[in-house]
Amino acid sequence: MNASDARIDRYWERLHVWGPYGLLGTGVVLAIVSAGIMDGPVDWYLVGILVGAAVLLQVWWHGTRHRRADRGRSPSRAGTAYYLVRWAIAFVLTWLNPFFAFYAAAGYMDADELIPGMWRRLGLFASAVTVAGAQAGGLMPDSTAQWLGFAALLAANYGLQSVVAHITEQEEQRSRERASTIEALQQALDENAALHAQLLVQAREAGVADERRRLAAEIHDTLAQGLTGIIAQLQVVANTPDESQAREHVHRAIDLARHSLGEARRSVHNLAPVALADAGLPEALKQTVADWGERTGVRAEFTVTGTAEQLHDEVSATLLRIAQEALSNAARHAHATRLGVTLSFLTDEVILDIRDDGRGFDPLALPARTRAGGFGLDGMRARAERIAGSLTVESEPGHGTALSARVPLVRHDQ
């Protein structure tokens, strides 16, 4: 229920609480004004007793209805009894003075809330009898013309109230169907969110497994081979009496050790995005682009569009690593003079665009990946696909390169 619905509900609540009092008071005032149409003191005594009974009835009902289901605004035996007693009082009061039909008209307001099922139509008919009798000149009609007028007014009153009741029931049915639809949609959204979270966990686990395999391959290709080479060189040194040859193999071993150390540092750098340790993705990307621009001397700009949000760690790490890899490729191959990085926050996805005005390349004629290089486009694409994202590359020789990584917007608390 939104604020507007709550306000309307409060208005209806006040009408049901104070409406009968107001209508009864209106009847009392008009009865006093039209005192001449009453027969004498006996009628006034009866009116006084019945008005007092009506007030007590209202006090009882409104004092106890809040303890009932749906605050007494759903059909019940107590509600039906309250309706019948009120109708009986209103009928007798209207018999004594037709202006008390105002009080009888209270039956039009709440028959649908107090009386169950089709019995509510009978309640409306009973209220219409009292009101039509007053409109026809008072109860009971004492001439044929008055009876005919009473019948016509009864048909008009009951017909009108039946139409209103039918429309109200149709509207309530539509409201229940809308509420059911909204509940079903909310349930579907919750299930979708749970599935999304499950897929993210699975993607993360798959990413961890891929990262382990990648590290194992890199260790085998770099560190293990480097250490093997160092051992081989040192074995030659240990077995040769030639001092100059030993010195040459020692230098080779030193070079291999330095190279292996560099590979180890690169692997550690790729494993953990340190830039995200103390900052969000926009700040980390901004600093990364600034550092890259200072290091390469290329004019580099970073832009954020949309409302920045705290992303899930895996999403932030993926986009940062893609950006780092793209910047590394641009530094090595693009020979660009300008480069722009844009991070766009949309409703349900995040887009990372990296554009440069370098020499470009033919995406269909890429050279095979070498061990000296990074992960390349395939690696960036694999990173994006691990979290249900995608990577597109647009490039042409002499016209720069544009990379676009689109990934789901998964917030930090998910």
Side-chain angles (χ1 to χ4, degrees):
M1 179 182 293
N2 55 34
S4 177
D5 294 338
R7 184 171 60 255
I8 294 174
D9 189 65
R10 286 197 298 273
Y11 290 154
W12 276 109
E13 179 70 14
R14 292 170 185 171
L15 179 63
H16 282 82
V17 171
W18 299 109
Y21 289 112
L23 294 172
L24 180 62
T26 302
V28 171
V29 171
L30 292 177
I32 295 173
V33 172
S34 61
I37 65 175
M38 296 177 66
D39 290 339
V42 175
D43 284 3
W44 280 109
Y45 290 145
L46 286 175
V47 167
I49 293 171
L50 292 172
V51 169
V55 171
L56 291 176
L57 177 66
Q58 296 301 136
V59 171
W60 167 78
W61 173 246
H62 294 300
T64 60
R65 60 187 287 268
H66 291 282
R67 297 195 297 268
R68 306 181 190 284
D70 197 21
R71 295 179 299 176
R73 292 181 60 180
S74 59
S76 63
R77 292 183 178 179
T80 304
Y82 159 71
Y83 188 91
L84 292 175
V85 174
R86 189 183 64 188
W87 173 84
I89 294 174
F91 182 83
V92 177
L93 284 172
T94 305
W95 188 300
L96 296 173
N97 190 316
F99 285 109
F100 278 107
F102 282 97
Y103 181 52
Y108 292 159
M109 296 191 314
D110 51 13
D112 58 330
E113 295 185 353
L114 300 175
I115 304 175
M118 295 302 296
W119 291 103
R120 66 186 57 171
R121 300 300 173 89
L122 184 59
L124 285 176
F125 182 78
S127 296
V129 168
T130 306
V131 174
Q135 292 171 340
L139 296 170
M140 297 287 296
D142 55 4
S143 67
T144 303
Q146 197 172 6
W147 272 107
L148 291 175
F150 168 74
L153 290 168
L154 176 60
N157 277 274
Y158 181 66
L160 178 61
Q161 293 304 321
S162 296
V163 170
V164 172
H166 178 73
I167 294 174
T168 301
E169 290 172 357
Q170 293 298 314
E171 183 61 28
E172 290 176 349
Q173 178 63 27
R174 282 197 291 270
S175 297
R176 287 193 292 270
E177 291 175 354
R178 282 197 294 270
S180 178
T181 302
I182 292 173
E183 183 179 358
L185 288 175
Q186 184 60 48
Q187 184 178 0
L189 288 174
D190 293 342
E191 292 176 354
N192 188 46
L195 179 60
H196 193 183
Q198 182 180 358
L199 290 175
L200 186 61
V201 171
Q202 293 176 349
R204 187 172 185 174
E205 293 174 348
V208 171
D210 289 346
E211 200 71 5
R212 288 175 178 169
R213 287 192 291 271
R214 183 186 68 79
L215 286 175
E218 288 209 348
I219 290 172
H220 175 268
D221 293 344
T222 57
L223 296 180
Q225 291 188 4
L227 291 173
T228 302
I230 292 170
I231 292 172
Q233 297 298 328
L234 293 178
Q235 285 178 341
V236 172
V237 172
N239 297 327
T240 181
D242 188 344
E243 185 175 347
S244 61
Q245 187 178 10
R247 189 179 302 108
E248 178 183 353
H249 286 285
V250 168
H251 286 311
R252 289 179 182 176
I254 293 174
D255 291 340
L256 283 172
R258 287 173 177 168
H259 179 75
S260 298
L261 178 60
E263 292 294 335
R265 286 174 175 170
R266 186 179 65 80
S267 297
V268 171
H269 176 73
N270 286 331
L271 181 63
V274 179
L276 290 173
D278 301 318
L281 180 61
E283 294 79 9
L285 282 175
K286 181 179 180 181
Q287 187 61 45
T288 300
V289 173
D291 293 343
W292 183 87
E294 291 179 1
R295 188 169 61 253
T296 60
V298 177
R299 180 181 174 186
E301 297 177 350
F302 173 68
T303 306
V304 177
T305 64
T307 303
E309 299 195 45
Q310 186 69 21
L311 297 175
H312 192 281
D313 294 344
E314 191 67 20
V315 176
S316 297
T318 298
L319 290 178
L320 179 59
R321 285 169 174 168
I322 290 175
Q324 290 172 334
E325 183 67 21
L327 292 175
S328 176
N329 289 341
R332 291 199 304 269
H333 308 299
H335 299 290
T337 60
R338 294 185 60 186
L339 180 140
V341 177
T342 303
L343 183 65
S344 303
F345 289 87
L346 304 183
T347 303
D348 54 0
E349 66 178 358
V350 185
I351 303 176
L352 175 67
D353 293 306
I354 303 170
R355 310 165 304 282
D356 68 60
D357 63 349
R359 61 183 183 181
F361 63 96
D362 182 358
L364 301 178
L366 285 177
R369 175 190 165 197
T370 64
R371 291 180 178 178
F375 300 111
L377 294 176
D378 292 340
M380 288 188 280
R381 185 173 290 107
R383 287 186 188 280
E385 290 174 350
R386 277 183 206 144
I387 57 172
S390 62
L391 179 80
T392 57
V393 180
E394 296 180 359
S395 185
E396 185 178 347
H399 294 85
T401 302
L403 281 75
S404 181
R406 308 171 72 98
V407 299
L409 194 157
V410 182
R411 294 175 178 80
H412 179 68
D413 55 356
Q414 296 180 356

